[in-house]
Amino acid sequence: MTGSFNQPIDAAEVPRFAGQATFMRLPTADTAKGLDIALVGIPWDGGTTNRAGARHGPREVRSQSSLMRRVHHVSGTEPYSIANIADVGDLSVNPINLMDGLSRIEAGIAEIVAAGAIPLSVGGDHLTTLPVLRAVAKARPVGLIHFDAHSDTNDTYFGDNPYTHGTPFRRAIEEGLLDPKRIVQIGIRGSVYEPSEHDWARAQGVRVIYMEEFVERGAKDVMAEARRIAGDQPTYVTFDIDSIDPSMAPGTGTPEVGGFTTREAQQMIRLLAGVNIVGADVVEVAPPFDVGGITALAGATMMFELLCVIAKQVADKR
């Protein structure tokens, strides 16, 4: 089936440092029409409360994604042979108007969903996930598997401002975009503003798995629970790069020590096989704080891991 789907440029023919930088070196597409999976950048960090820079994430992840090859070495998945995938570019954003930025992101993802493609996006700060969910979950609430150092279910910042990268999942639950009893957050850690910070999320039914519990139980056991929580209904997967320890991913807005190794993160994404994924993202890669591109490389790698899981899902349904 390879001949009927888009294929990446072969690094044995054109070196990785040459040519147009696209996600996974795939062709570009003006729209998602005819695609199974649309790779899309969201270069916007209007919700950042401290270290800005994630607006530059998509460009650098594209560059580092040139290191991804065609076949997953563990599962044997060849995503470009079993699904039609392309880079549909960056969404139109507004860096100086938060509400307009959210509207633009929602409209861009809605076009992808309407075309019948699954969006796999790269942010951008974690507030970008809220408008994505508004498009993906417009017809019905979805579940959420959330890898992060932070719960992102706070209420307001700097007075009564409800939209920051620390609030997207509280807003998504309030808007009926997420089924809170089908939400699991994995890797939560670090100091908090007050002892009750996560009480609201738990009261809604969100399963919060702190990093200490993950270390005690291990990836296989934790992901078995995550799959049970998600069930067989539509589920969104969001991967905040700060879930990885800053020793391996320093380029992010709010680093927290004591996180996942990149190997643990890869293992967990592979264990998403069987989840009904309707969209996914990798967020909070902030190149201005990166070292040698290692955070962008981690982001590109997690994107490839997600791509392989989603492509296999597409092929199985086909």
Side-chain angles (χ1 to χ4, degrees), residues 3 21 35-36 39 55 62 66 73 86 89 115 118 120 133 141 147 155 227 237 248 275 283 291 315:
L35 298 180
D36 296 309
L39 309 183
R55 66 183 63 186
R62 280 188 175 93
S66 68
H73 76 287
I118 296 173
L120 174 52
L133 286 170
F147 302 97
D155 192 6
R227 291 193 302 273
V237 178
M248 298 184 181
V275 175
V283 298
V291 177

Side-chain angles (χ1 to χ4, degrees), residues 8-318:
I9 295 173
D10 189 339
E13 297 180 5
V14 180
R16 293 185 174 91
F17 52 80
Q20 183 180 6
T22 65
F23 288 125
M24 313 301 168
R25 308 194 84 191
L26 283 163
T28 59
D30 293 332
T31 73
K33 185 178 180 179
L35 298 180
D36 296 309
I37 305 169
L39 309 183
V40 58
I42 309 180
W44 188 81
D45 55 11
T48 305
T49 57
N50 184 25
R51 302 201 310 182
R55 66 183 63 186
H56 303 290
R59 182 169 293 186
E60 293 305 315
V61 170
R62 280 188 175 93
S63 180
Q64 293 296 333
S65 74
S66 68
L67 291 165
M68 302 302 108
R69 298 179 179 86
R70 296 178 53 87
V71 184
H72 195 287
H73 76 287
V74 175
S75 67
T77 301
E78 301 178 53
Y80 317 113
S81 299
I82 59 177
N84 201 24
I85 311 163
D87 183 337
V88 298
D90 287 341
L91 298 184
S92 172
V93 297
N94 186 336
I96 60 172
N97 186 311
L98 187 148
M99 298 307 292
D100 185 52
L102 295 176
S103 295
R104 287 168 178 254
I105 295 167
E106 180 183 355
I109 297 297
E111 290 183 6
I112 292 172
V113 173
I118 296 173
L120 174 52
S121 62
V122 174
D125 70 49
H126 221 155
L127 185 56
T128 61
T129 304
L130 176 60
V132 172
L133 286 170
R134 286 173 175 168
V136 170
K138 186 174 184 179
R140 74 292 185 235
V142 300
L144 182 73
I145 298 178
H146 175 194
F147 302 97
D148 205 328
H150 312 100
S151 175
D152 293 349
T153 52
N154 286 9
D155 192 6
T156 59
Y157 281 68
F158 307 108
D160 60 353
N161 293 286
Y163 298 110
T164 78
H165 65 170
T167 68
F169 303 111
R170 187 170 185 135
R171 301 287 88 86
I173 291 170
E174 291 172 343
E175 293 179 22
L177 306 174
L178 295 174
D179 176 355
K181 293 180 174 55
R182 294 183 55 239
I183 299 175
V184 56
Q185 301 181 321
I186 307 169
I188 309 304
R189 64 186 189 277
S191 56
V192 293
Y193 292 111
E194 54 188 33
S196 61
E197 183 168 320
H198 301 146
D199 287 359
W200 185 90
R202 286 193 290 256
Q204 310 311 305
V206 175
R207 174 68 167 104
V208 181
I209 299 177
Y210 293 99
M211 192 67 203
E212 291 73 17
E213 181 180 350
F214 171 83
V215 171
E216 185 174 330
R217 294 174 59 191
K220 288 185 178 179
D221 192 35
V222 165
M223 291 309 296
E225 180 182 359
R227 291 193 302 273
R228 287 195 301 271
I229 290 170
D232 60 1
Q233 298 302 303
T235 299
Y236 192 86
V237 178
T238 185
F239 190 97
D240 190 323
I241 206 69
D242 73 23
S243 64
I244 296 174
D245 191 85
S247 64
M248 298 184 181
T252 191
T254 312
E256 297 284 357
V257 301
F260 303 127
T261 66
T262 48
R263 184 172 58 246
E264 288 169 335
Q266 287 176 285
Q267 183 183 11
M268 286 188 290
I269 294 176
R270 293 166 192 171
L271 291 169
L272 290 169
V275 175
N276 182 5
I277 300 173
V278 293
D281 62 42
V282 176
V283 298
E284 295 285 357
V285 173
F289 302 100
D290 206 359
V291 177
I294 61 172
T295 310
L297 175 58
T301 303
M302 302 313 149
M303 188 184 188
F304 180 73
E305 294 282 357
L306 286 164
L307 179 62
C308 288
V309 172
I310 298 170
K312 181 64 164 57
Q313 168 189 296
V314 167
D316 289 345
K317 288 183 178 180
R318 182 182 287 117

